[in-house]
Amino acid sequence: MSQYNEIAKYLVSAEVDRREVAKVTSNLKPDLTVEEAYLVQQEIVTIKLNEGKRMIGPKMGLTSLAKMKQMGVEEPIYGYVFDYMLIENGGKARLSDQIHPKVEAEIAFVMGEDLEGPGVTGAQVLAKTEYVLPALEIIDSRYENFNFTLPDVIADNASTSRVVFGTSLKKPDQFELDLVGATLSINGEIKELGAGAAVLGHPAHSVAMLANMLARKGEKVRKGDVILTGGITGAIRLNYGDIVSGKFDGLGEVTFTVTD
């Protein structure tokens, strides 16, 4: 068994058992690189696919320029969303399924055609996007105290945990997506707000960057992929009983309730 597979099993069991673990770089592999972290992530994807889980599409993380600067990185990271992670709009997110969940508001893209890098631009992304829709992503690092290095979070499938997609699908040419504002409210109180421009200047740039990053390993963004482009708002810690609402200009509202 490869060391990458071993690390993947360590992280998958932490997710399944809903327990936080020491970050990979603190004991299992202190010298883990970004490239190796993506190999661990690929092992996690393989494990989930072999279990019969279905991939919904990739997601982007660290797409705010402030966050990238804070982490000392020049490009975002990506992970993958699976079918078991989906919660219906207006549905329930069980706290007992999570470790220390946080929620952020995002814009998702549904791809109408394949998109293959390198050299993909935001304009090409928009031309090949079938729909955009609002989303709330629940991130939940498997590491103690949400404490990790860049390779750690990549290996941990970019902290992906649960996603609530809105039900209104809109054509991307109906909007200036960089100007779309969003508010994130908990129990009726606005906690965070932002605009599409918070995601690399425009959410389409996020998908373009994803396609170009995937091209390095001979992969592409596929027709039908639903892609989370990254947080428009900051992430808020969730607690039992929270009623969470994301409202997006022109794109509608996404809600869920936190249960036990």
Side-chain angles (χ1 to χ4, degrees):
M1 190 198 303
S2 78
Q3 189 179 14
Y4 305 133
N5 183 265
E6 210 172 295
I7 296 169
K9 286 185 167 172
Y10 169 77
L11 292 169
V12 168
S13 73
E15 180 192 359
V16 171
D17 298 343
R18 301 181 290 281
R19 60 185 167 81
E20 51 183 14
V21 293
K23 59 190 178 187
V24 175
T25 56
S26 70
N27 55 12
L28 285 177
K29 191 165 173 50
D31 59 350
L32 185 73
T33 66
V34 164
E35 290 73 21
E36 290 174 323
Y38 277 115
L39 294 175
V40 172
Q41 187 190 99
Q42 194 53 53
E43 292 286 340
I44 289 177
V45 167
T46 301
I47 288 169
K48 292 183 187 299
L49 292 176
N50 287 343
E51 289 171 348
K53 296 179 169 72
R54 188 172 61 84
M55 191 185 286
I56 302 300
K59 63 153 256 189
M60 292 289 274
L62 295 185
T63 50
S64 107
L65 297 171
K67 257 190 198 169
M68 286 164 69
K69 192 174 177 185
Q70 184 190 334
M71 292 290 284
V73 297
E74 290 174 14
E75 65 183 11
I77 62 173
Y78 61 84
Y80 293 93
V81 176
F82 289 86
D83 55 354
Y84 74 91
M85 300 175 172
L86 300 183
I87 294 168
E88 65 182 37
N89 193 6
K92 294 176 168 56
R94 291 172 55 96
L95 210 53
S96 55
D97 289 342
Q98 320 280 312
I99 302 167
H100 34 211
K102 298 178 181 182
V103 63
E104 54 191 30
E106 310 201 11
I107 294 174
F109 281 50
V110 181
M111 300 314 300
E113 296 178 49
D114 286 0
L115 196 61
E116 200 162 356
V120 172
T121 66
Q124 288 170 314
V125 169
L126 290 170
K128 294 189 173 190
T129 298
E130 190 154 13
Y131 301 109
V132 290
L133 67 160
L136 294 173
E137 183 187 4
I138 300 173
I139 53 173
D140 189 26
S141 170
R142 268 54 72 169
Y143 299 123
E144 290 163 351
N145 305 320
F146 247 97
N147 179 346
F148 45 71
T149 67
L150 186 66
D152 284 308
V153 68
I154 292 168
D156 187 31
N157 193 27
S159 304
T160 316
S161 183
R162 297 289 183 272
V163 181
V164 189
F165 288 117
T167 42
S168 64
L169 300 169
K170 300 287 171 86
K171 292 291 186 185
D173 57 8
Q174 293 176 261
F175 298 91
E176 298 287 341
L177 287 171
D178 52 335
L179 302 180
V180 168
T183 58
L184 178 60
S185 301
I186 311 277
N187 304 321
E189 186 186 336
I190 293 177
K191 297 287 189 183
E192 287 279 337
L193 44 87
V199 181
L200 299 171
H202 193 296
H205 294 159
S206 176
V207 181
M209 205 169 261
L210 170 67
N212 295 332
M213 291 168 79
L214 289 176
R216 291 177 204 157
K217 56 180 188 181
E219 292 182 14
K220 61 185 175 182
V221 170
R222 297 177 184 281
K223 177 181 179 177
D225 276 352
V226 185
I227 299 166
L228 288 169
T229 54
I232 290 179
T233 65
I236 299 290
R237 180 71 188 262
L238 292 173
N239 296 292
Y240 172 70
D242 282 348
I243 298 164
V244 184
S245 163
K247 290 182 179 168
F248 299 72
D249 296 344
L251 285 174
E253 185 177 10
V254 189
T255 65
F256 68 89
T257 306
V258 182
T259 64
D260 56 2

